[in-house]
Amino acid sequence: MSDSQYSVQMRNITKTFPGVRALDDVSFTLRPGEVMALLGENGAGKSTLMKILSGVYTRDSGEILLFGTSIEGDLNPRKAQALGVSMIHQELNMCSHLTVAQNIFLGKELTRGSLLSEREMNQQAKDVLDSLQIDIDPTMVLGSLAVSKQQMVEIAKALQSKAKILIMDEPTSALTSVEITQLFTLIRKLRSTGCSIVYISHRLEELQHIVDRVTIMRDGKFITEQPFSSLTMNQIISYMVGREIKEKFPRIPANRGKLTLSIRNLNAGRMVRDISLDLYQGEILGIAGLMGAGRTETTRALFGVDPKESGDIVLEGKAVTITCPEDAIEAGLVLVPEDRKRDGLCIKLSVRENIGLPNLDILCNKAGIINRKRERTMVKKAVQDLGVKLPTSEVDASSLSGGNQQKVVVGKWLARDSKVVIFDEPTRGIDVAAKVEIYHLMNELKQNGIAVMFVSSEMPEILGVSDRILVMCDGRITGELDRSEATQEKIMEYATRFEHKLENQN
Amino acid sequence: MSREQGNPIKRILAVRGIGQVLTVTVGLIVLYVVFGIMNPVFFSSRNISNLLRQIAPIILIGIGQSYVLITGNIDLSIGSVVGMSCMISATMMTKGANPWVAVIVTLICCLAVGLANGLLVSFAKLPPFIATLGTMTIARGIAQIANNNYNTDSIGEAAQGFRDFFYYGKTFGLFNTIWIAAVLWFIFNFILTRTRSGRHIYAIGSNVEAARLSGVNVISATNKAYMVSAFVSGVVGLITSATSGMGTMDAGNSYELYAVAASVIGGISTLGGQGLLFGTVIGASIWGVLQNGLQFAGAPVAIRNIVIGVIVVVSVLLDVIVRSGKGLRRKRGASAV
């Protein structure tokens, strides 16, 4: 049985949710010791397929073989795990208050009699971590570790339970480039021990480092399965979207207008130090930098989410005081936040209510009563302008796919006239087509004479969309580049200009 | 959407969260009919009138608790504020104060407790359970101190107008208490569904951080919810003192829990962000019909308590089951789209 050529064979899988055919006759194979990239736009059915494999969902029809043995009946998560399938979720599923070892043994604690044998668990946890050359003390509290380390613990946890098939859903979305390299080393090591890995990611640039084969899905259907080396990036994209995306980064020339926003010596904690910048009408100012460079913190301080220590903000020639988001919105400065689930959406409210929320000042009369007709008109326009796909605007925001949720978050801010719009990582975790729509939108704002600030960790899009680029490192602005002179190398150089204080002191 | 506007029934069905409200409405009707068949007096217009008057205070405190639950918090001080309101108003009236002055002073005191609750939770960021546990004890203490640790004497002849206004009088054939509950329900339902403040209350209950980043003043929205809760509790306290004609120190005992029960039976989520005030009316009515019906059926108080407790748990359990089924489906749908 175990000498089968494939570790996973899924044949003719279909799955229907009310109103949606999520998977339509999809087949998928995986060999021992290979990394398979599972690609597709948001909503292509990748996650659904993998959730069926890991037992979270049950299939409507079709056949699943694990190591050559057909699975009778439905899988459930426990059964799937026992058969060696483990999924590393996009949002880490662990108890942050417990220690590393306690997490690794969660649900299968080692006991002596009826007492926990902590020492043994710590030892075995250490063995697993060591075997992966992960340098983490198993007695540390999980929540005190960086996200990347937590992810590695989750992988170790999967391996401790003898996982042979690892499914990773967007594992790199929250990692820095150094951490990504570490993760890839780990993945290669797992591959060499015969583990099969399914790798779901939107970051196509990463694939070349680890991937052996590629399965591409679109609209719930299987499109192709090929060795990675036989495909070009453009081919992959066109398989994913079903059409060639000609302009990945549409750029529109616009005339830089008057000075809109100028910030002088903004300080807010360690991650925002002495930030000064100018922003003009009709330009897109890119803010580049590595993860943890203080870009998000800067936008949050500017928008009044986090308190400022000092600094002057001048908007259209007038000094403004921003102590809370309300002040910023009133002044004409809005922020499309980075983490849409945490900061952007009220997922239990409808799309209409979400879009209306920051604009109630426009939608209400003096007594604070909402003009529902005006609200519907605003929401309808926002939904149309952004091409949000939804049955009606009364559905819960939680029912939308990631890309559509992001459009709602963007839409709620664009429904009002602002002078400055700050986008913090607006394209994270959304598919290629939706990304291009977001770029078009920024361009449209720019053409309408609005000043746009664009924070992104993805170098190609910063280079492709911005008119001018500021680079941050360690809470400071370390460089400014005009679009004509900007290259990835130059940005990297500025982005790694750390202060060497510590080393000097040592 | 335009189609929905054309058809009022479809429009009502399109309201989010209407599902559970309709389910419990059916439950309410069934209960009512069953009790009525067991004892036809239950259907008499006199009993209906009394029943509605019994339910009215539960609806009022239910409104208050629902407001707070929708913000994602809880208000344990409701019962004590009822007691405080009862004692302050009655003490003032026995000491010869004009009843309407007493009403205004009492309500201001209650609003102060609500504001304190709101600030403790939103500004000082105390867990709402603890903050309102504290004010609950304090408000009960104030109720006791109001007349030197004694219940008051009768509030007297001078306060007959007050007693009629809040309890004994009728307008258009219905007891005033019912009118008070109805009018306040309409006002607070309108605020919750149609105004900026109401939207803010839902938003902070759904995702406080997203609401803040959307320019919602979280402190003010939380304060408003707690003040609504304290206000309606104050009104119920006034109804209580009008009913008995005196101040009783332990008036409103465990009302905060009745209010939670009315809210959750009616489909208000204890996790915040979800629920309709109409559901609270139905929840409170189920409560009232059970009390009244079991009484008619001759069940002792102990049995009534047990039955009602079971109903609370079962209704929430049903909701959890329905919601998790739906939530799962929605989640699946989301990953599929």
Side-chain angles (χ1 to χ4, degrees), chain A residues 17-18 22 43 48 57 300 303 305 325-326 329 337 341-350 352-353 357-358 360-361 364 368-370 372 375-376 392-394 396 398-399 401 412-413, chain B residues 1 4-5 11 14 16 190 193-197 199-200 202-217 269 271-274 328-337:
Chain A
F17 296 119
T48 312
Y57 297 160
R300 283 173 66 93
F303 190 57
V305 188
E326 268 179 292
I329 296 166
K341 283 246 170 63
R342 200 188 68 203
D343 295 336
L345 278 180
C346 295
I347 57 164
K348 284 185 228 161
L349 300 188
S350 68
R352 169 177 60 80
E353 288 163 316
L357 187 60
L360 291 176
D361 53 337
C364 288
I369 297 165
I370 300 167
R372 294 205 276 192
E375 184 180 40
R376 275 197 296 269
T392 84
S393 52
E394 293 303 315
D396 284 9
S398 60
S399 70
S401 68
K412 74 179 200 180
W413 288 117
Chain B
M1 261 182 96
E4 282 164 23
Q5 277 162 33
R11 234 170 93 191
R16 282 152 357 97
F190 183 85
T193 55
R194 299 287 298 278
T195 70
R196 195 176 175 181
S197 303
R199 188 68 62 80
H200 285 180
Y202 274 106
I204 62 172
S206 175
N207 183 344
V208 68
E209 202 47 30
R212 194 159 78 94
L213 263 70
S214 298
V216 173
N217 186 331
S269 164
L271 301 174
Q274 275 171 325
L328 220 58
R329 233 181 294 142
R330 218 186 285 136
K331 226 161 123 195
R332 290 169 182 185
S335 65
V337 179

Side-chain angles (χ1 to χ4, degrees), chain A residues 18-52:
Chain A
V20 202
R21 170 151 269 200
L23 294 176
D24 186 2
D25 201 20
V26 176
S27 296
F28 178 81
T29 60
L30 187 63
R31 296 194 190 105
E34 77 168 350
V35 178
M36 167 70 94
L38 182 54
L39 305 176
E41 290 188 286
N42 285 332
K46 301 163 299 199
S47 300
T48 312
L49 185 69
M50 286 305 114
K51 282 182 179 163
I52 287 176

Side-chain angles (χ1 to χ4, degrees), chain A residues 32 46 49 70 102 124 128 294 314 327 423:
Chain A
K46 301 163 299 199
L49 185 69
S70 178
Q102 283 166 346
Q124 289 198 21
V128 173
V314 179
D327 294 344
F423 290 90

Side-chain angles (χ1 to χ4, degrees), chain B residues 118-337:
Chain B
L119 289 173
L120 286 173
V121 170
S122 62
F123 189 71
K125 298 200 166 39
L126 291 189
F129 198 91
I130 306 299
T132 59
L133 186 68
T135 51
M136 163 180 146
T137 317
I138 294 169
R140 185 62 69 191
I142 295 173
Q144 287 158 344
I145 232 171
N147 195 35
N148 285 327
N149 220 6
Y150 285 107
N151 290 340
T152 70
D153 299 330
S154 166
I155 55 179
E157 299 295 311
Q160 197 51 47
F162 164 81
R163 299 186 70 183
D164 285 344
F165 181 85
F166 280 102
Y167 194 74
Y168 290 101
K170 280 189 174 185
T171 307
F172 301 122
L174 275 179
F175 284 115
N176 287 344
T177 318
I178 301 167
W179 284 110
I180 290 170
V183 168
L184 289 180
W185 182 83
F186 271 104
I187 293 172
F188 287 122
N189 188 53
F190 183 85
I191 292 174
L192 194 59
T193 55
R194 299 287 298 278
T195 70
R196 195 176 175 181
S197 303
R199 188 68 62 80
H200 285 180
I201 282 169
Y202 274 106
I204 62 172
S206 175
N207 183 344
V208 68
E209 202 47 30
R212 194 159 78 94
L213 263 70
S214 298
V216 173
N217 186 331
V218 177
I219 293 176
S220 138
T222 312
N223 288 346
K224 281 177 193 161
Y226 273 108
M227 284 169 79
V228 167
S229 180
F231 176 77
V232 291
S233 306
V235 172
V236 171
L238 295 171
I239 292 171
T240 314
S241 70
T243 309
S244 57
M246 61 181 279
T248 30
M249 291 184 295
D250 62 351
N253 213 350
S254 2
Y255 269 28
E256 60 281 347
L257 302 180
Y258 301 169
V260 174
S263 302
V264 296
I265 294 175
I268 308 275
S269 164
T270 50
L271 301 174
Q274 275 171 325
L276 299 169
L277 223 42
F278 185 64
T280 308
V281 173
I282 305 294
S285 304
I286 288 188
W287 175 277
V289 167
L290 274 172
Q291 286 280 14
N292 188 267
L294 289 169
Q295 199 176 352
F296 264 88
V301 177
I303 300 294
R304 271 190 261 162
N305 283 339
I306 292 172
V307 170
I308 289 170
V310 169
I311 296 275
V312 169
V313 173
V314 168
S315 70
V316 178
L317 198 63
L318 275 179
D319 182 43
V320 168
I321 293 166
V322 171
R323 254 184 241 255
S324 69
K326 229 196 266 168
L328 220 58
R329 233 181 294 142
R330 218 186 285 136
K331 226 161 123 195
R332 290 169 182 185
S335 65
V337 179

